[in-house]
Amino acid sequence: MQRFVDDVLAVTKESVKTFTYESLNIIVRLINGVSALVLALLPGKANILEGIQGWELRPTFRGPRFPRWMENQEYLSGEEGEEEEDSDEYEEYPKTTLSRSSRVPRAAFADYGRHQTDWILIPLQFLTQFLMGLPFRLFQLVYSGVSKTRSISGCQHPSQPHSPNGVQSLKDQIIHRATDRRRGVIEDLHLAMEIFIEVVFDVIHKSIHVLFSPSEALGTLFRLFSSHERPILVDNDVVEDASVSSAPAERNTSFRSSLNTDARTCQDVITELGYPYEAIRVITADGYVLLLERIPRRHARKAVYLQHGIFDSSMGWVSNGVVGSPAFAAYDQGFDVFLGNIRGLVSREHVNKNISSREYWKYSINEYGTKDIPALIEKIHQVKTAELRLSKPDIEEESNDDQLYKLCAICHSLGGASMLMYVVTRRLKSKPHRLSRLVLLSPAGFHHDSSLLFSAVEHVLFYLGPILSRIFPAFYVPTRFFRMLVNKLARDLQHLPAVGGLVQTLVAYVAGGDSSNWVGVLGLPHYNMNDMPGVSFGVALHLAQMKRTRRFRMFDYGNAYNMKIYGSPEPLDLGEHYGLIDIPVDLVAGQRDTVIRSSMVKRHYKLMKDAGVDVSYNEFEYAHLDFTFSHREELLSYVMSSLLLVKPNSKKHQRTPRSRGKGQASVRG
């Protein structure tokens, strides 16, 4: 009779699983179909979606082809074969002493992802246990006692198919079947339903077992209550219970700590591909802790500094793998590569551990150009000078310049505006900027030619700024749960082409028709549960000031505070002081870029040309994010050719500074 009941429960359980799986799949197909219908009715979608056709966002970050529950051993073995092929390709990279020390095999990295426990909805388990209440715990204790009695009496089958840890072991089996770190919400729903069904049927099975074996249940209850009346003795049974109860606790600890989808850092990506890596902590003058990352060539006398833009991090420069990432391309050309990260992370790294959120986010673009970049570049100068003097004692005699190395900068979007601010303000202070060449990819600074939405945001920031600044000190995805949800939804959007295309089109409408791969970028690991780059309200207000005044100026604090900071009632106009730039500048614009239009980059070019700066201008058929997240060879070839124009031992040519302002301005502090 017991076997008959077990067979009935097994068939019923599989039927319920099939019904729930197919129901969810039907809903997903319906959503995707409706999205395809809506997408077909939207105008201008062809140009928007054309920018992401054939574009693999991260060739080295592979995702699962099918949901985990649909995979079998043949498929898994096939994927392992692919990993072995990848490992063979992996060995083709040039081996150096540093790269061998930091090399992480892809198989090991994939094995880490295979054993990492992803998000399986802990609140659902707690809710299930709460609903089951005391009867569930009672049945669990009864059945565990029965199982122990059977094992003591000489049962030849100690591992029962429905043991007390059956649900936990099932969860481990499901998790170990995963071959990718990232899973979407839909896959999580499938997994949660499977666990829930297993829990429910496990409770039903134990309840029926108690009904069929009441004597064993009463005996277990008697031993349970009698054990509370006598002192606790250290015997084999107690030791056995302790070992059984401690295992789930350890699993839950690791389970709670690994709820993230994909929290890989820039270091993980670099070392996974076999390149050396170094992390340097930099503290700014106002106490912000920045991360300067490096792909080191310690003996190289040419270095490159890469600065990201808004809502971005150093991950953007390595996200396309070896083939299309500027950081790896520069390293392969013999450069010592430095990746800068400016302030603005949700983790709020600061020397003052008790700094409030409002105080941390109290900054504008001024702090990027006058605090963050100076600290990062000075740290580069200290590191490079010390290393070169140590490795080559006679290097100062060979060099014709006070600086023992040449440093170029590649900057994108807001990073380009911050770098221009840095160079101009350093020249105004008569301090060295350490740079030999600038390559600015769609630099910010001028924004009056923009979409209607940006104009609306500008008016909102100006008229409601005093109120909004108290409510929203910064713009980012709040709480760990919502950041995890965004990353998982981005994963689902990549699996559902119609839904992803619809979201891509709607976001492009918001960005003025820009055809960047917005959906793919949301899936990058630097938008993860633990941390993400944010934008302070002061930065957004500063951009609105630039748009309204149609000038590339520093932050407007008001007449009184402007006099204290700039020495004049008006903020410093950086465009009027472009004549102070004494190094070559390469400006690059995107013909499809509607975030920073090519006309705005041409504005930079015209002012620099009029001021006598050695400047060049080029356009590519790119959208705004294509400059960092695309892997088209034409851009990399252009950037690398610009970097190679810098000669290692040439003397720096100092021009007489020229400015177009009414008077010589000064910057204090």
Side-chain angles (χ1 to χ4, degrees):
M1 187 65 181
Q2 179 68 36
R3 179 175 299 179
F4 173 76
V5 173
D6 291 343
D7 293 340
V8 172
L9 286 178
V11 173
T12 306
K13 180 175 65 175
E14 293 303 321
S15 301
V16 172
K17 284 184 180 181
T18 303
F19 176 78
T20 54
Y21 294 165
E22 291 303 321
S23 299
L24 182 58
N25 288 336
I26 291 173
I27 295 174
V28 170
R29 294 190 192 102
L30 179 62
I31 294 174
N32 195 60
V34 173
S35 301
L37 179 61
V38 175
L39 184 62
L41 300 176
L42 292 178
K45 60 181 177 301
N47 293 332
I48 293 173
L49 297 179
E50 184 182 356
I52 63 173
Q53 290 178 356
W55 176 17
E56 292 180 359
L57 182 64
R58 299 178 310 281
T60 57
F61 297 173
R62 295 194 308 273
R65 296 176 177 85
F66 299 103
R68 296 297 103 202
W69 61 87
M70 296 176 61
E71 293 178 348
N72 52 27
Q73 292 300 322
E74 287 79 12
Y75 174 74
L76 290 177
S77 62
E79 182 135 324
E80 290 175 359
E82 290 180 3
E83 289 179 357
E84 292 177 2
E85 293 177 5
D86 291 342
S87 64
D88 293 338
E89 296 176 1
Y90 181 76
E91 293 297 327
E92 293 178 6
Y93 296 126
K95 295 183 178 180
T96 62
T97 304
L98 293 174
S99 63
R100 280 195 297 267
S101 62
S102 63
R103 190 179 298 273
V104 179
R106 291 187 182 181
F109 205 84
D111 188 64
Y112 164 78
R114 187 178 296 111
H115 290 81
Q116 185 182 12
T117 53
D118 291 344
W119 180 46
I120 316 180
L121 301 176
I122 287 180
L124 180 61
Q125 289 185 330
F126 289 153
L127 179 61
T128 304
Q129 294 177 4
F130 176 76
L131 293 177
M132 297 304 173
L134 294 178
F136 172 73
R137 293 185 176 275
L138 182 61
F139 290 137
Q140 187 178 27
L141 290 173
V142 169
Y143 189 75
S144 60
V146 172
S147 301
K148 187 193 303 181
T149 304
R150 288 184 175 181
S151 63
I152 294 174
S153 61
C155 180
Q156 300 299 323
H157 303 282
S159 59
Q160 298 293 331
H162 295 279
S163 61
N165 296 325
V167 177
Q168 185 70 36
S169 62
L170 172 72
K171 181 183 71 176
D172 294 338
Q173 291 174 7
I174 295 172
I175 292 169
H176 287 180
R177 286 166 59 190
T179 58
D180 191 271
R181 276 174 295 278
R182 307 193 307 143
R183 216 173 9 234
V185 175
I186 296 174
E187 291 173 291
D188 283 334
L189 289 176
H190 276 283
L191 190 58
M193 288 190 302
E194 185 168 349
I195 293 176
F196 181 77
I197 293 171
E198 286 288 341
V199 169
V200 171
F201 276 88
D202 190 64
V203 172
I204 296 174
H205 179 270
K206 290 177 181 178
S207 303
I208 295 176
H209 180 79
V210 170
L211 293 177
F212 278 104
S213 304
S215 59
E216 294 183 5
L218 292 176
T220 303
L221 284 176
F222 177 76
R223 287 191 298 272
L224 176 65
F225 287 109
S226 62
S227 63
H228 290 285
E229 296 177 357
R230 63 175 181 265
I232 299 177
L233 300 177
V234 181
D235 56 4
N236 294 334
D237 290 4
V238 175
V239 173
E240 181 183 357
D241 289 341
S243 62
V244 171
S245 62
S246 63
E250 294 178 359
R251 287 195 187 111
N252 286 336
T253 302
S254 61
F255 180 63
R256 290 169 183 263
S257 63
S258 59
L259 294 178
N260 201 0
T261 53
D262 188 358
R264 279 178 292 179
T265 62
C266 187
Q267 174 183 357
D268 297 327
V269 177
I270 293 173
T271 55
E272 177 188 358
L273 295 174
Y275 286 84
Y277 174 85
E278 180 181 345
I280 305 172
R281 293 177 74 252
V282 179
I283 300 178
T284 65
D286 50 354
Y288 286 78
V289 180
L290 310 179
L291 177 62
L292 178 63
E293 299 178 280
R294 183 186 185 190
I295 310 177
R297 282 190 184 272
R298 305 184 189 280
H299 305 311
R301 297 185 60 180
K302 52 183 182 179
V304 61
Y305 172 81
L306 296 100
Q307 182 56 60
H308 63 79
I310 196 169
F311 279 120
D312 200 0
S313 70
S314 57
M315 179 68 76
W317 300 111
V318 299
S319 60
N320 290 308
V322 178
V323 176
S325 298
F328 297 133
Y331 180 85
D332 293 338
Q333 291 291 332
F335 285 86
D336 194 354
V337 180
F338 292 88
L339 308 170
N341 292 277
I342 53 181
R343 68 184 68 188
L345 290 176
V346 177
S347 55
R348 300 206 305 266
E349 291 290 332
H350 198 275
V351 293
N352 180 12
K353 301 300 181 182
N354 299 321
I355 189 172
S356 64
S357 176
R358 187 171 302 278
E359 286 297 321
Y360 176 87
W361 295 103
K362 193 175 181 181
Y363 62 84
S364 66
I365 304 176
N366 281 20
E367 281 67 29
Y368 289 160
T370 62
K371 295 289 195 306
D372 292 358
I373 294 181
L376 292 168
I377 291 183
E378 284 303 312
K379 176 59 70 172
I380 294 174
H381 179 68
Q382 295 174 10
V383 170
K384 287 299 297 180
T385 302
E387 289 178 349
L388 290 175
R389 285 177 176 171
L390 183 63
S391 61
K392 300 179 181 180
D394 57 344
I395 190 172
E396 295 186 6
E397 299 178 0
E398 299 176 2
S399 177
N400 296 324
D401 203 343
D402 296 334
Q403 189 166 305
L404 305 180
Y405 63 97
K406 295 296 181 181
L407 178 63
C408 302
I410 304 174
C411 311
H412 176 242
S413 189
L414 188 59
S418 304
M419 187 61 67
L420 289 172
M421 181 183 295
Y422 162 75
V423 173
V424 171
T425 53
R426 296 290 285 190
R427 294 283 288 145
L428 285 172
K429 296 176 182 178
S430 300
K431 294 182 178 181
H433 52 67
R434 314 289 184 191
L435 298 171
S436 300
R437 194 178 193 94
L438 291 180
V439 180
L440 306 181
L441 310 175
S442 190
F446 295 101
H447 302 278
H448 50 273
D449 183 10
S450 58
S451 64
L452 293 177
L453 178 67
F454 292 160
S455 300
V457 172
E458 170 211 334
H459 287 85
V460 170
L461 291 176
F462 262 96
Y463 293 115
L464 301 179
I467 300 175
L468 294 178
S469 62
R470 298 179 179 274
I471 303 174
F472 305 105
F475 303 97
Y476 56 89
V477 180
T479 74
R480 290 161 54 89
F481 172 77
F482 284 109
R483 288 195 292 272
M484 175 181 60
L485 186 62
V486 168
N487 193 274
K488 286 180 171 292
L489 287 175
R491 181 67 170 169
D492 288 327
L493 294 178
Q494 293 176 359
H495 284 173
L496 302 175
V499 180
L502 178 61
V503 174
Q504 166 73 22
T505 304
L506 295 178
V507 175
Y509 283 164
V510 173
D514 191 273
S515 60
S516 300
N517 192 345
W518 303 100
V519 172
V521 169
L522 288 177
L524 281 175
H526 66 302
Y527 289 100
N528 61 67
M529 176 174 152
N530 299 321
D531 210 352
M532 70 164 288
V535 175
S536 71
F537 186 87
V539 171
L541 183 59
H542 196 172
L543 291 172
Q545 291 177 358
M546 294 178 184
K547 176 174 172 54
R548 169 158 291 205
T549 59
R550 295 174 171 247
R551 299 160 72 184
F552 181 25
R553 306 196 309 175
M554 299 187 76
F555 191 79
D556 189 355
Y557 298 97
N559 292 345
Y561 206 70
N562 286 342
M563 287 294 300
K564 180 180 179 181
I565 298 296
Y566 310 117
S568 66
E570 292 292 326
L572 177 67
D573 192 320
L574 298 169
E576 292 183 352
H577 294 82
Y578 275 170
L580 297 172
I581 301 176
D582 59 342
I583 55 176
V585 179
D586 299 300
L587 298 173
V588 183
Q591 296 175 0
R592 294 175 176 266
D593 191 344
T594 59
V595 177
I596 299 176
R597 302 182 188 271
S598 59
S599 59
M600 298 294 92
V601 182
K602 288 179 181 177
R603 178 65 177 164
H604 285 287
Y605 174 74
K606 185 177 183 304
L607 292 176
M608 290 183 186
K609 200 68 175 177
D610 293 343
V613 179
D614 183 6
V615 60
S616 66
Y617 176 85
N618 279 276
E619 285 186 4
F620 293 91
E621 197 174 354
Y622 286 179
H624 190 66
L625 299 183
D626 292 351
F627 290 103
T628 53
F629 298 111
S630 177
H631 52 81
R632 301 175 185 174
E633 295 183 359
E634 53 181 352
L635 177 63
L636 282 180
S637 299
Y638 173 77
V639 172
M640 292 301 108
S641 62
S642 298
L643 296 181
L644 294 175
L645 292 176
V646 179
K647 303 300 181 183
N649 294 321
S650 61
K651 288 187 178 182
K652 184 185 296 183
H653 178 64
Q654 297 285 349
R655 294 187 297 101
T656 302
R658 259 199 316 160
S659 62
R660 299 174 60 246
K662 297 180 181 178
Q664 185 69 33
S666 62
V667 179
R668 300 174 187 166

